[in-house]
Amino acid sequence: DIPRKYPDVEYFFNTDVQDSVLRVLRALAAEFPSVGYVQGMNFIAAQLLFHCNSDEDRAFLLFRKLITFPKYDLKSVYINGLPKVLKYCCALDTLLKVHNPTLFHHLNGLGLESMLYAQQWIMTLFAYNTNWKVLAQIWDYFFMNGWQAIFRISLCILDDLEGLLKNSDFEECSDTIRDFVQHMPEYICARAKNIHLSAEEVSIIDGALII
């Protein structure tokens, strides 16, 4: 999966690197048998390994922290049934309904729930197909603020695309969202940090983050 998703990154075509990613994932599966391996973990492992200069121990320890530390709690994202994925997607739908009811009702009318486009954002922390320069900024924001960052960025993506999405059908909306994330603008984190949220919107996010 990794070389195919990062075709412009020569680093991941090295078979030793691919083996390193596999070893990190196997070590995690052994340490967290209730999690095992879930599709999407490979993208996070690959990114951590790259930023740790191929240090497998460091990459493993960082991923371990993402799984166990309550601020990140990826264990609840990956365990059987994907409970946090479902919870976070439901919260994002509710958040959008309050923040931008017109856009929410349009997407809802098309049958385009957030589970269909945001699941990969949650399970890979945007590593699935976001350009690397912006992804590094997103991860910095996430490491500092936890899931608040992911909710705010997700809302900014939909805000930015509102004009296009409201005049599009299901397939066009899906393609527009996917293409935007793949070529995420560099301003996205700055905008996410400054986006105005009402007390109700903040409470929706806070409610989703209760363990």
Side-chain angles (χ1 to χ4, degrees):
D1 284 350
I2 298 300
R4 189 176 72 249
K5 292 309 296 183
Y6 300 136
D8 298 325
V9 185
E10 186 176 347
Y11 175 79
F12 289 115
F13 285 87
N14 185 319
T15 56
D16 289 338
V17 171
Q18 295 173 33
D19 289 343
S20 290
V21 173
L22 185 59
R23 283 192 292 270
V24 170
L25 292 170
R26 284 176 173 168
L28 288 165
E31 175 125 353
F32 303 101
S34 64
V35 174
Y37 170 74
V38 178
Q39 193 170 12
M41 293 174 69
N42 52 338
F43 295 103
I44 295 179
Q47 287 287 338
L48 290 174
L49 195 65
F50 177 80
H51 289 289
C52 290
N53 297 314
S54 299
D55 186 328
E56 292 179 30
D57 291 336
R58 248 180 103 200
F60 169 79
L61 291 172
L62 282 172
F63 208 150
R64 187 176 184 273
K65 179 69 76 174
L66 290 173
I67 289 173
T68 59
F69 196 59
K71 183 177 183 178
Y72 312 118
D73 191 26
L74 284 183
K75 182 176 182 179
S76 294
V77 170
Y78 293 136
I79 59 175
N80 187 40
L82 309 178
K84 276 289 180 73
V85 178
L86 298 171
K87 185 177 184 181
Y88 288 170
C89 284
C90 182
L92 181 57
D93 283 330
T94 304
L95 185 62
L96 182 62
K97 185 176 182 179
V98 173
H99 183 77
N100 193 331
T102 302
L103 181 57
F104 168 80
H105 287 298
H106 175 68
L107 296 179
N108 192 56
L110 296 175
L112 188 58
E113 299 177 346
S114 64
M115 190 70 179
L116 298 176
Y117 57 82
Q119 180 176 352
Q120 290 177 343
W121 304 350
I122 294 166
M123 295 186 70
T124 71
L125 304 177
F126 284 100
Y128 179 74
N129 65 344
T130 300
N131 73 78
W132 279 40
K133 185 174 182 179
V134 178
L135 180 62
Q137 297 173 17
I138 291 173
W139 277 28
D140 281 346
Y141 188 21
F142 175 73
F143 288 142
M144 289 293 295
N145 296 276
W147 289 98
Q148 289 264 359
I150 303 300
F151 278 107
R152 284 176 167 268
I153 290 168
S154 299
L155 205 57
C156 282
I157 291 169
L158 297 171
D159 271 354
D160 268 26
L161 295 175
E162 178 182 6
L164 291 172
L165 296 177
K166 287 196 300 187
N167 296 300
S168 300
D169 60 22
F170 181 97
E171 186 174 347
E172 290 168 339
C173 284
S174 299
D175 290 345
T176 297
I177 294 171
R178 185 189 63 248
D179 292 345
F180 182 89
V181 172
Q182 187 173 356
H183 304 95
M184 193 94 78
E186 293 185 26
Y187 61 71
I188 199 72
C189 285
R191 182 167 293 180
K193 293 172 185 177
N194 294 317
I195 189 173
H196 175 72
L197 298 179
S198 68
E200 182 179 3
E201 291 164 351
V202 171
S203 71
I204 291 169
I205 296 175
D206 289 343
L209 299 179
I210 296 173
I211 299 175

